[in-house]
Amino acid sequence: MVNSSEMLEKAKRLLRLRFDRELADMLGMSAAALSERRRKNSIPIEAIKKLLLDKSIDTSFLDSESGSKEMKQDSSITMNQESVRLKDEVISIQKRYIERLEKTIERLEEDKKKRNQTIVPEYINQPYNWEISQI
């Protein structure tokens, strides 16, 4: 099994990068963070895989050579965190949408009341006046 340093080097070669900081930038992390993950043997396999797939580069070396439990566990933790983040974001969007709908309903109800007051004569709104005017 290939270690994380070798995987990172292979990914850099495939992406035609010379430095870790270039790969780190493409992954959206600092060079220090990538270095720390390399040291802990917990490289962001899923992020590297996505990056390679976006560039139409074969990622089979990551699947076949990344059998260590730590790496797979790290990627599943990352996916769970991303899933929780997306769920929270969706809930936030739904709450804002509901608030806008409630405000729109309130505004429409106010407009309806205003229209009814201007269209209908005042004595029609009072039941006794209506009966007297017909006699």
Side-chain angles (χ1 to χ4, degrees):
M1 182 177 73
V2 179
N3 68 25
S4 58
S5 288
E6 292 171 349
M7 279 189 202
L8 286 175
E9 291 307 315
K10 187 165 184 170
K12 283 187 341 190
R13 264 194 322 274
L14 290 170
L15 291 166
R16 296 185 177 134
L17 303 174
R18 291 182 52 200
F19 304 105
D20 282 355
R21 67 177 153 71
E22 294 171 312
L23 180 60
D25 286 343
M26 292 181 87
L27 293 171
M29 60 175 52
S30 69
L34 183 61
S35 176
E36 182 67 15
R37 296 204 55 177
R38 179 191 295 240
R39 187 183 67 75
K40 290 183 176 181
N41 201 26
S42 66
I43 62 169
I45 294 173
E46 293 302 318
I48 292 172
K49 192 182 290 189
K50 182 182 180 319
L51 182 64
L52 292 171
L53 288 173
D54 288 346
K55 305 275 185 185
S56 300
I57 299 172
D58 182 32
T59 61
S60 60
F61 76 96
L62 290 171
D63 296 331
S64 62
E65 299 171 342
S66 63
S68 86
K69 289 181 181 176
E70 295 85 17
M71 289 183 201
K72 287 186 178 181
Q73 190 175 31
D74 180 58
S75 67
S76 70
I77 289 171
T78 303
M79 292 299 288
N80 287 340
Q81 290 170 342
E82 181 68 10
S83 146
V84 167
R85 186 191 67 75
L86 288 173
K87 180 180 174 185
D88 291 343
E89 189 174 328
V90 167
I91 289 172
S92 172
I93 290 169
Q94 288 174 335
K95 284 180 179 178
R96 288 193 310 263
Y97 183 72
I98 289 170
E99 289 171 0
R100 286 195 339 246
L101 284 175
E102 288 172 342
K103 288 178 182 178
T104 301
I105 290 170
E106 288 175 9
R107 192 184 76 243
L108 289 172
E109 286 175 350
E110 289 174 7
D111 289 348
K112 183 179 175 182
K113 287 177 185 176
K114 289 177 184 176
R115 258 186 284 129
N116 283 342
Q117 290 175 356
T118 58
I119 295 174
V120 180
E122 188 62 35
Y123 66 89
I124 292 178
N125 290 330
Q126 299 175 2
Y128 296 113
N129 288 342
W130 179 256
E131 292 173 12
I132 294 172
S133 64
Q134 290 181 341
I135 300 178

